[in-house]
Amino acid sequence: MDAVDRLLLAELQADARLSFNELSRRVNLSAPAVAERVRRLEADGVLTGYHAHVDPARAGLAVMALVTMECYGPLCILRAPEVEAWPEVLQLHRVTGGACCVLLVGVASMTAFEQLIDRLAAHGRPSSSMLLSSPVPWRAVTVPHPDR
């Protein structure tokens, strides 16, 4: 990955709706060259998708929480493919330490949160921390220069 790729990634993370023509102006390459580089970044799995950033509270998810799961063996939530279809689960991370995984969840109400915790309890012991605010809700990935 060279300096142009790093610049393309920065520009796309700032605004994924940029056209190849606009990207080409910003990185000082032709539009076909930019298109080829973007396609290569997609094929290499560096670019994994293009997304809109949504404010959970304004979208109706008033209750946001991190749920740590202690679950192991056949009931482990990481072995439950149906969890991917649960709309409340926004992220699922396998972690080290005493817990198996951490989930970022969002629901409309405390009643909905309680129902989700009950479903999670079938897979192990959930422990939750409510999100009060998110001073850094999302940050673009800065690709390090290979010499650093």
Side-chain angles (χ1 to χ4, degrees):
M1 188 173 306
D2 63 13
V4 174
D5 288 338
R6 288 191 295 279
L7 186 54
L8 281 170
L9 291 174
E11 292 291 344
L12 287 170
Q13 287 181 95
D15 184 356
R17 298 185 316 167
L18 291 173
S19 68
F20 287 143
N21 285 333
E22 180 59 26
L23 274 172
S24 71
R25 281 190 285 281
R26 292 183 184 198
V27 301
N28 215 16
L29 282 181
S30 70
V34 165
E36 178 57 34
R37 281 177 175 263
V38 169
R39 285 188 197 100
R40 190 188 76 241
L41 289 166
E42 291 169 343
D44 290 347
V46 177
L47 281 171
T48 59
Y50 300 86
H51 312 277
H53 293 281
V54 176
D55 182 309
R58 291 181 185 214
L61 302 179
V63 178
M64 298 290 294
L66 293 171
V67 179
T68 302
M69 291 292 298
E70 290 183 24
C71 55
Y72 304 95
L75 294 178
C76 178
I77 198 146
L78 293 172
R79 292 188 173 93
E82 69 273 10
V83 174
E84 279 189 47
W86 294 1
E88 306 91 344
V89 177
L90 303 177
Q91 296 178 4
L92 173 58
H93 304 277
R94 187 175 184 182
V95 298
T96 62
C100 171
C101 58
V102 176
L103 299 89
L104 173 64
V105 301
V107 292
S109 66
M110 287 304 289
T111 301
F113 183 69
E114 185 176 2
Q115 292 168 348
L116 175 61
I117 291 296
D118 289 345
R119 278 193 289 159
L120 290 169
H123 296 277
R125 194 179 119 221
S127 175
S128 62
S129 297
M130 306 309 290
L131 295 183
L132 300 177
S133 66
S134 299
V136 182
W138 178 85
R139 178 174 287 153
V141 173
T142 303
V143 180
H145 190 276
D147 296 337
R148 295 179 195 158

